[in-house]
């Protein structure tokens, strides 16, 4: 459902750089979603094109996980990496911050 919704409503997230964050959302957080993915609006076409993927991903994470305002320092947790390939430690750090985020 998540990838289908992104393909329909947020073509900006159909990119190589968005795959890891989307996989993490689907695998780690789907049981915590506070709103259905089908209720999400999709791409924020009011933002600059060079920021569209980042803004759209932030909107998706906010829609799915946030009951309350989340400190800005946690906004990038879903996308955290430490290089290519991403280490197991980076996945653990990301998961820990996402758990706090949700």
């Amino acid at each position: 459902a998540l990838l289908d919704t992104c393909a329909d409503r947020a073509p900006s997230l159909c990119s190589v750089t968005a795959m890891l964050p989307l996989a993490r959302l689907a695998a780690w957080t789907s049981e915590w979603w506070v709103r259905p993915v089908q209720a999400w609006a999709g791409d924020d076409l009011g933002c600059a094109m060079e920021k569209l993927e980042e803004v759209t991903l932030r909107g998706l994470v906010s829609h799915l996980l946030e009951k309350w305002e989340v400190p800005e320092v946690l906004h990038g947790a879903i996308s955290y990496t430490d290089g290519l390939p991403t280490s197991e430690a980076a996945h653990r750090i990301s998961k820990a911050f996402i758990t706090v985020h949700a």
Side-chain angles (χ1 to χ4, degrees):
L2 178 64
L3 292 181
D4 290 336
T5 301
C6 288
D8 290 343
R9 300 180 188 182
S12 67
L13 295 182
C14 296
S15 69
V16 172
T17 55
M19 288 301 106
L20 179 61
L22 292 177
R24 286 173 170 171
L25 271 176
W28 294 346
T29 70
S30 60
E31 69 275 3
W32 304 332
W33 292 355
V34 294
R35 292 174 220 43
V37 68
Q38 296 82 1
W40 175 57
D43 275 338
D44 181 354
L45 299 176
C47 77
M49 289 305 290
E50 62 273 3
K51 290 286 200 175
L52 185 58
E53 181 182 320
E54 178 184 341
V55 169
T56 300
L57 183 60
R58 173 72 195 114
L60 177 60
V61 171
S62 176
H63 174 80
L64 293 177
L65 299 180
E66 293 178 10
K67 293 179 188 176
W68 302 278
E69 188 173 331
V70 170
E72 191 171 333
V73 70
L74 294 177
H75 291 181
I78 199 78
S79 301
Y80 178 74
T81 64
D82 60 356
L84 293 173
T86 302
S87 70
E88 180 63 28
H91 287 302
R92 289 179 186 182
I93 291 166
S94 179
K95 189 169 185 178
F97 279 108
I98 291 167
T99 302
V100 172
H101 187 149

